[in-house]
Each structure stands twice: as structure tokens, then as C-alpha cells.
Amino acid sequence: MTGVEIGLWSLVGILGLIWLGMHVAIALALVSFVGVWALRDNPTYAARLLSLATRESISSYLFGVVPLFVLMGLVVSRADIGRDTFDVANRALGRLKGGLGMATVGANAVFAAITGISIASAAVFAKVAVPEMMRIGHTARFATGVVAGSSVLGMLIPPSLLLILYGILAEQSVGHLFVAGIGPGVVLALAFCVGIAVMMRIAPGFTGTPKPAAPMAYEGSLARDTASKLAPIAALIALVLGGIYGGIFTPTEAGAIGALGAIIIATLKRRITPRILWQVTLETGHITAAICFLIIAATMYSRFLALSGLPAFVTEWAIAQELGVTGFVLLYCLILVLLGTILDSSSIMLITLPLVLPIATALHIDLIWFGIVTVLAVEIGLLTPPLGLSVYVIKGALDDPGIPLGDVFKGALPFAAIMALVLMLIIAFPPIATALL
């Protein structure tokens, strides 16, 4: 077989192994080793090449950003700051028609700006917002759909672990990706709010007919209670994102400052103990190890593909089709959405980016904008069956037999459609993502 044929069979092998239940990092590393062995007919050469990829892949200072932002997100989640955010948003919007759903979107947008993890948002707001929305008369389908849809903001509004992963794989500035994520994140949050208002008007059977939300209990004066809950969140966002955008911190330094700030806030609120902090530290280590293993395997796979000649072949083929930038991006997004029905977000990016980045470069596509498009298209898969990771997290967090998994998926579908519309908007108008750069 030629190198291109071996490269094509490697894609089939990776997808097959993942569908059979093998961890994506192990599948990537195994197929890369076998592929290099087949190309060079030398297992020793394959082992040396892949060991070199392992050593070089995570030796960069940039990788320090991963555990630091993970730690910050986990501390914020454990400190119940998500509930504080929801309380404040509910006071501002809860009296509107559909206001509690809009408050959930707004709270998730703010929570995303200090965690960057969609799964954390889904787990937190499934427990905080769904019971409250159902209490005032919303259907379980709509309530869970709002949480599932708005949870994806965690991977678009900076800081975002998927944007960090894309920056590493595409060798692009994480800081620039964070800046580019602001506009699309705000647009998506506003689109969700408009979508909720429209659904409340035209589909009351889907949303339910809620009573106006009752004022929530608070301690002391309303202004003081709101300020006590909002000020720490605003300070942490200003510290991390303001430091990055103002050129005071690198993304890695901002992650360290943010993690320390989150620990201080949680301590002052008396919501974290040394035992919880130790548990969070261990969980951070587990998540970081998993992410680093994925990056190592992706580096192995990229080197194997480069050796096979498949990226160059695919680039030449794609250019010969004369699809143009828009046609290529639309086809790419369609593939990402389809893969999202069977694979998780990071797996999709690890498999597809080594193949498509050379094409994007050859077509002179702005790789920062391309990263935002990639993340948004991949995140649609978090809401679509049969995998829909956010949906499964919400179902698991609720642990309510009265809310079947199918209802959560049905509730999430309108929000997946809204995401698709916003994706088309960003493709048609790239300045939504690039205007702040």
C-alpha cells in the first residue's frame, strides 16, 4: 500500500477502535505506531519517532495553562458560585415571560467566563435551574433543554479548554483565541434568549405556562446581597480576562492568578475546606493527565500523517474541487456535526485538525476565526443524539426517573438549531469573531 492508503486506513482504524470502546488517546497512539511501522517496515523506527513526539509535545511552557484553568474552574464549581450567579440573573430577568430561562442563559454565560468547562456548567445548572424552572410551571423538557443549550457557552466564552486545545494543535495564540471567542459567545447567548422568548410565544405546549417567578429569599438588603454575590464573580473575570487582554499576564500567568483568586474567594465565602481543596487538586491532576495524554497521542498521529503524505494529498484534492473558502468551511462544519453524534468534542478535534489545518492554511483562512468556527460546530454535537455528552451529564445530575433521557434530547434540539444558525452567521460575517483582534 502507498502512504496515502495507509493514512486513509488509519482513519478507519481509529474510528473503529473508538466505536468499540477504546479510549481515543490509546487508539490514536496505537494506530500511529502501527502506521509508522507499516510505512517504514521498522518497529524500532516507529518507537523512536513516537517517543520523540511524546517528549516534545507537552514540553512547552504554554501547557501550564491547562491545569491552572482546570483548577480555577473546579474551585469555582465547588464554591457554589454558579448558584450565586443564577440568583443575581434571576433577580434581573425572572419577572419577564421566559425570564427564568433567560436568567439561566445569562448565569451560564457569566459562569462560562470563569470556568471554561461545558460539563461543569451542565452539572451545576441542572441542579440549580431545572428544579426552579419546573417549580414555576415550565416543562421538564424545556427546562433541561435550556440548561443543555446554555452549557455550551462554557466552551466558547473564554477561558475555554477547547480553545486552549485548538491553540495547541494549530499553534495559534491562546490569548487571541480567547479574544475572538467573546463576540460569538455574546451573540450565541443573546440568540438563546431570543429563542426562548419566541418559544414561549409560539410553543407553549413545549415550554409550559409558568407563573411569574417569586422573589428569591436574600439576607439583608437586596442591593447588599446582590453585590456580595456579584462582586467576587466580576472581580475574578476582570482579573483573569482583563489581565490577558490588557497585556499584563500571559494566558498561563492569568490561569495561575485566576486559580489563586478562586481559592481566596471560596475561602472568604467559607465554601471550601482543606479537604475539599485537596480533592479538587487531585481531580485537577486527573483531568490534566487525561488532556496531556490526548495531546501526546494527537502529536503522534500528526507526525504519522505527515509521514504518510495524506494531509498533502487531501489538501491538493480539496483545492482541485474549487469549493472556495465558504464551501470548504461549510463541508467541514457538516462533517464535525455528524461526527458529534458519535464522538466527544476533543476526539473530533484531535482526529480532524491534523487533516484540515493544511487545507485551511493553503486557502489562506484566518486560523483564529477557523478555531471559533471549529469549536462552535463541535459543540453542537454535545446536544445531538446518540452521544450528546451534555445531555447525559444533565440526566445524571438530576437523577430523576420522571425525566427520561429522550425528553432531555428533545428539549436540547431547538438550542442545537439556534447554534447552527449562529454558526452560519459567524461564517457569513467573520468580524463577529475577529473584530476585537
Side-chain angles (χ1 to χ4, degrees), residues 58-353:
I58 58 172
S59 60
S60 171
Y61 166 77
L62 176 63
F63 284 91
V65 77
V66 175
L68 294 170
F69 275 114
V70 170
L71 177 60
M72 183 180 72
L74 292 176
V75 171
V76 165
S77 180
R78 291 291 187 93
D80 220 11
I81 290 177
R83 179 177 292 277
D84 289 347
T85 310
F86 179 75
D87 288 349
V88 173
N90 188 25
R91 287 173 189 166
L93 301 170
R95 305 296 291 181
L96 301 175
K97 191 174 182 178
L100 202 54
M102 298 177 190
T104 302
V105 173
N108 242 322
V110 175
F111 194 68
I114 48 177
T115 58
I117 307 173
S118 291
I119 304 306
S121 297
V124 168
F125 287 94
K127 296 178 180 178
V128 171
V130 171
E132 184 68 15
M133 293 178 71
M134 292 177 64
R135 183 184 65 78
I136 68 168
H138 283 297
T139 63
R141 183 178 298 179
F142 175 72
T144 54
V146 170
V147 173
S150 58
S151 70
V152 303
L153 294 169
M155 284 302 182
L156 193 59
I157 296 177
S160 159
L161 286 182
L162 274 190
L163 288 178
I164 292 172
L165 180 60
Y166 175 87
I168 291 169
L169 295 175
E171 298 181 354
Q172 297 297 306
S173 166
V174 173
H176 287 172
L177 286 166
F178 281 179
V179 173
I182 295 175
V186 172
V187 169
L188 183 59
L190 292 175
F192 282 153
C193 290
V194 172
I196 289 171
V198 171
M199 283 184 273
M200 290 292 298
R201 181 175 293 276
I202 68 173
F206 174 75
T207 63
T209 307
K211 307 181 293 292
M216 300 191 69
Y218 56 89
E219 300 174 2
S221 72
L222 176 61
R224 186 186 307 149
D225 187 67
T226 300
S228 69
K229 292 179 176 180
L230 192 60
I233 300 167
L236 192 58
I237 294 173
L239 184 66
V240 175
L241 300 185
I244 293 175
Y245 305 149
I248 301 171
F249 310 134
T250 66
T252 304
E253 291 167 345
I257 295 293
L260 178 60
I263 293 171
I264 292 173
I265 291 171
T267 303
L268 292 176
K269 285 178 171 287
R270 298 180 181 178
R271 294 178 179 175
I272 195 168
T273 63
R275 180 181 178 84
I276 293 176
L277 184 58
W278 175 245
Q279 292 173 348
V280 166
T281 304
L282 288 178
E283 191 174 352
T284 299
H286 294 158
I287 294 173
T288 302
I291 293 173
C292 287
F293 193 19
L294 285 170
I295 294 170
I296 289 170
T299 304
M300 293 179 177
Y301 185 57
S302 297
R303 296 201 175 191
F304 155 65
L305 286 179
L307 201 61
S308 72
L310 181 61
F313 173 81
V314 173
T315 301
E316 292 175 2
W317 177 84
I319 293 175
Q321 303 310 304
E322 297 183 354
L323 296 173
V325 171
T326 302
F328 163 70
V329 172
L330 289 175
L331 178 60
Y332 171 59
C333 289
L334 177 62
I335 293 171
L336 291 181
V337 172
L338 292 175
L339 287 175
T341 64
I342 53 175
L343 296 174
D344 65 274
S345 303
S346 57
S347 300
I348 296 169
M349 291 176 62
L350 292 169
I351 293 170
T352 58
L353 285 177

Side-chain angles (χ1 to χ4, degrees), residues 7-44:
L8 290 172
W9 276 111
S10 75
L11 293 173
V12 176
I14 288 170
L15 292 174
L17 290 173
I18 293 174
W19 286 335
L20 290 173
M22 182 177 288
H23 190 278
V24 61
I26 297 175
L28 284 169
L30 178 62
V31 170
S32 300
F33 176 77
V34 173
V36 175
W37 185 351
L39 286 171
R40 290 293 183 263
D41 194 24
N42 187 336
T44 303

Side-chain angles (χ1 to χ4, degrees), residues 180 182-184 187 422 425-426 429-436:
I182 295 175
V187 169
V422 172
L425 189 65
I426 293 171
F429 302 100
I432 294 174
T434 59
L436 295 178

